[in-house]
Amino acid sequence: QVQLVESGGGLVQPGGSLRLSCAASKPISSIYTMSWYRQAPGKQRELVAAIGSDGSTHHADSVKGRFTISRDNAENTVYLQMNSLKPEDTAVYYCNLRLPLALVWGQGTQVTVSS
């Protein structure tokens, strides 16, 4: 029933930065884990980062030190700050919400890193 709306994607040069946002259409409890995935053409969707109810975070080795996931519980929004972007980061990025009986996905937002 809840929907996720993503924004912030676009075209950037290598070394640039982007901040992705994912807003839930309804209030959600902070106990539910939220995460970001990405999928490049011809490749499997992979986990980029996740944030739990206690504020604990996980970042994939490929983005650790460059990307940071965070959430604003009052605004029911999760963010992904992406710095030092590389061409290899080019993909469609998806927001995910883990509910007790379902996984909710955003529509995806394109991130292209190219000179």
Side-chain angles (χ1 to χ4, degrees), residues 31 38 48 56 59 67 79 83 87 99 114:
I31 69 173
R38 68 184 182 186
V48 176
S56 62
H59 297 83
F67 293 9
Y79 304 95
N83 299 324
L99 296 176
S114 176

Side-chain angles (χ1 to χ4, degrees), residues 19-93:
R19 189 192 192 200
L20 305 183
S21 299
C22 173
S25 61
K26 297 181 178 180
I28 57 174
S29 173
S30 62
I31 69 173
Y32 301 130
T33 297
M34 299 190 73
S35 59
W36 288 95
Y37 287 74
R38 68 184 182 186
Q39 186 169 23
K43 296 185 178 180
Q44 187 172 316
R45 186 174 300 186
E46 64 178 353
L47 176 67
V48 176
I51 184 166
S53 61
D54 60 353
S56 62
T57 60
H58 165 80
H59 297 83
D61 290 341
S62 60
V63 306
K64 191 173 184 179
R66 299 187 298 119
F67 293 9
T68 303
I69 188 172
S70 62
R71 66 192 299 172
D72 186 335
N73 294 327
E75 298 294 332
N76 300 296
T77 302
V78 64
Y79 304 95
L80 185 67
Q81 179 66 48
M82 305 186 295
N83 299 324
S84 302
L85 284 162
K86 304 175 180 179
E88 304 90 272
D89 297 318
T90 296
V92 178
Y93 284 71

